[in-house]
Amino acid sequence: MKLLTIETTCDETAAAVVTDRLEVLSSVVASQDRLHERFGGVVPEIASRAHLERILPVIDEALRRAGIGLADLDAVAVATTPGLAGSLLVGLMAAKTIALVQRIPLVAVNHLQAHIYACRIASGQEVFPCVGLIVSGGHTALYRCLSPVDFQMLGSTIDDAAGEAFDKVASMLGLGYPGGPAVQRAAAIGNPQAYCFPRPFLDDPDRLDFSFSGLKTAVRYQIVGPGKQDFRTVHLEPQQVADLAASFQEAVVDCLVGKSLQALERTGFGTLCVGGGVAANSRLRQRFLEEATERGFRLFLAPLALATDNAVMGAIAIERLKAGLVEPLDIEVAPGPLRA
Ligand code: KG4
Ligand code: ZN
């Protein structure tokens, strides 16, 4: 059985062809990073227009690389939640049209659940039940993942996502966009103990939430002085930039690792899956690997190509199809995060 998956939740236009045995026949990702770079973040209107231009060529290319045509598809899947409304609509309309014309089932994918499922596809191993940490530009949350179709939220950020904090701090430090990789590079020669930044809720195992907004402000005040906003007059030495980047990154990593360990404790699960763009962070990966070795839990980190947005992780739709979870053609997008 062959499934086309479509992903347009944010600023990547992606399509993939996967089989019901989780073989990846093709994967195409058209990034919009260069369009959003000069704004220091994703501009929703620009994103949806770019999706419109790219969606058909990206789908065509995914089919071509898989060596099949539309008529060979058995189902079509699309991420319908959460994401930017205009961006989600482009993917959903394309998927609905294919479902209608080819008379094949339409499957809705929750983008956050798909980020966790990236670990399942990449490892080729059964990962459920597990604790799932999703850490991306728009979301930071912990889930009790009982099965591929049964996710319960354990906690989430009460303000910004970790990736958003990376992007904003990169911009404050003049490091460019997207911020995560830039901060990581700068941090490589920095001292993570140079500045003491906040780690909210870390001491409270009863609360599996995150908060990164105060951390962003703490970095800002460290650069410009308490209560001030203006960066134009501030000059930072390269070593200061590196130390700020390293200290900020360490604070984020401490929170993500600490809360994940508390979630493992609470659920009693012995498996942790980590997905989302920030899962590409090398310091985060190193810390998780150390903890897994020391504490003996099974760790699945989404590989770099499947950590950032892609359509392969939409293969979670296979599990939904098997469970009979298909959608009517009048299904709508749900931009806000689902408390799935
Ligand atoms: O999952 P993703 O591709 O898109 C969303 O669904 O948000 O995540 C993008 C986020 C961006 O904020 C980017 O700065 C961050 O992932 N990111 C990283 C790294 N690579 C990407 N953050 C930290 N370290 C990285 N190496
Ligand atoms: Zn994502």
Side-chain angles (χ1 to χ4, degrees), residues 122-160:
S123 69
Q125 292 180 46
E126 200 44 76
V127 299
F128 297 94
C130 64
V131 166
L133 171 68
I134 292 142
V135 61
S136 73
H139 305 278
T140 303
L142 278 162
Y143 286 85
R144 186 197 307 269
C145 313
L146 293 160
S147 82
V149 294
D150 191 358
F151 287 65
Q152 297 165 356
M153 191 182 271
L154 292 164
S156 70
T157 179
I158 59 165
D159 40 56
D160 300 327

Side-chain angles (χ1 to χ4, degrees), residues 97-115:
T97 309
I98 293 170
L100 184 69
V101 172
Q102 298 302 132
R103 296 174 194 271
I104 53 176
L106 173 68
V107 187
V109 165
N110 176 309
H111 177 75
L112 302 183
Q113 297 177 0
H115 267 305

Side-chain angles (χ1 to χ4, degrees), residues 9-12 111 115 135-139 163-164 166-167 178-181 184 249 276-278 280-282 307-309:
T9 57
C10 188
D11 64 337
E12 259 94 32
H111 177 75
H115 267 305
V135 61
S136 73
H139 305 278
E164 135 100 16
F166 267 98
D167 293 337
Q184 178 182 312
Q249 179 176 262
V278 183
N281 184 269
S282 56
T308 49
D309 286 350

Side-chain angles (χ1 to χ4, degrees), residues 288-336:
F288 270 131
L289 284 166
E290 286 167 8
E291 293 291 349
T293 310
E294 197 181 310
R295 293 165 196 265
F297 58 87
R298 292 201 314 156
L299 175 68
F300 295 94
L301 298 169
L304 300 194
L306 297 188
T308 49
D309 286 350
N310 64 87
V312 171
M313 63 192 191
I316 193 172
I318 300 278
E319 308 277 0
R320 297 186 71 80
L321 255 183
K322 285 182 186 162
L325 297 169
V326 297
E327 307 299 330
L329 285 181
D330 62 354
I331 182 185
E332 292 179 5
V333 299

Side-chain angles (χ1 to χ4, degrees), residues 61-258:
E61 183 62 13
L63 294 172
R64 194 188 65 75
R65 287 192 200 170
I68 63 168
L70 279 179
D72 300 310
L73 293 174
D74 299 287
V76 56
V78 59
T80 58
T81 187
L84 301 170
S87 295
L88 288 166
L89 268 176
V90 176
L92 180 58
M93 286 308 150
K96 279 183 180 179
T97 309
I98 293 170
L100 184 69
V101 172
Q102 298 302 132
R103 296 174 194 271
I104 53 176
L106 173 68
V107 187
V109 165
N110 176 309
H111 177 75
L112 302 183
Q113 297 177 0
H115 267 305
I116 294 301
Y117 200 74
C119 296
R120 164 74 183 87
I121 304 168
S123 69
Q125 292 180 46
E126 200 44 76
V127 299
F128 297 94
C130 64
V131 166
L133 171 68
I134 292 142
V135 61
S136 73
H139 305 278
T140 303
L142 278 162
Y143 286 85
R144 186 197 307 269
C145 313
L146 293 160
S147 82
V149 294
D150 191 358
F151 287 65
Q152 297 165 356
M153 191 182 271
L154 292 164
S156 70
T157 179
I158 59 165
D159 40 56
D160 300 327
E164 135 100 16
F166 267 98
D167 293 337
K168 290 287 149 53
V169 166
S171 152
M172 289 181 214
L173 295 175
L175 293 172
Y177 177 85
V183 169
Q184 178 182 312
R185 273 195 301 277
I189 53 153
N191 172 7
Q193 264 92 50
Y195 302 95
C196 183
F197 290 131
R199 285 140 169 88
F201 312 133
L202 195 54
D203 295 334
D204 181 1
D206 292 332
R207 184 150 190 202
L208 297 178
D209 289 329
F210 304 92
S211 167
F212 297 108
S213 162
L215 173 58
K216 257 174 22 185
T217 309
V219 176
R220 177 182 290 268
Y221 286 173
Q222 192 64 54
I223 299 171
V224 293
K228 301 212 179 87
Q229 300 285 334
D230 194 355
F231 289 95
R232 278 169 300 190
T233 53
V234 179
H235 171 76
L236 294 172
E237 296 300 327
Q239 191 57 48
Q240 268 178 299
V241 171
D243 288 346
L244 283 162
S247 302
F248 159 78
Q249 179 176 262
E250 202 65 12
V252 176
V253 168
D254 276 349
C255 294
L256 296 172
V257 172

